[in-house]
Amino acid sequence: METPHIIEDAHLLALIAEAEKNVEEELKGRDPEWPSCAAIAYAEMAETCRRFLRLPHAP
């Protein structure tokens, strides 16, 4: 039997904070209607982490 991979809530929260900071950096000086591909990817990463946190789990 394989050992399950464990992702700590604190790690997910740190990833969300880092991704949100990166989105802000990527959007600086840009037209909000035309975000960079990196900003979109960071926003998607943050949302994926939020979905993981919303799933039933034992923190």
Side-chain angles (χ1 to χ4, degrees), residues 2-3 8-9 18 20 23-24 27 29 31 33-34 39 43 48 51 54-56 59:
E2 287 187 37
T3 303
E8 300 288 335
D9 286 3
E18 183 178 343
E20 289 174 343
V23 168
E24 289 176 18
L27 293 178
D31 181 344
E33 296 293 317
W34 295 97
T48 298
R51 281 197 303 269
R54 285 192 299 263
L55 292 173

Side-chain angles (χ1 to χ4, degrees), residues 22-32 34-36 39-40:
N22 289 337
V23 168
E24 289 176 18
E25 288 293 318
E26 286 292 326
L27 293 178
K28 279 185 185 173
R30 293 185 69 99
D31 181 344
W34 295 97
S36 68
I40 294 168

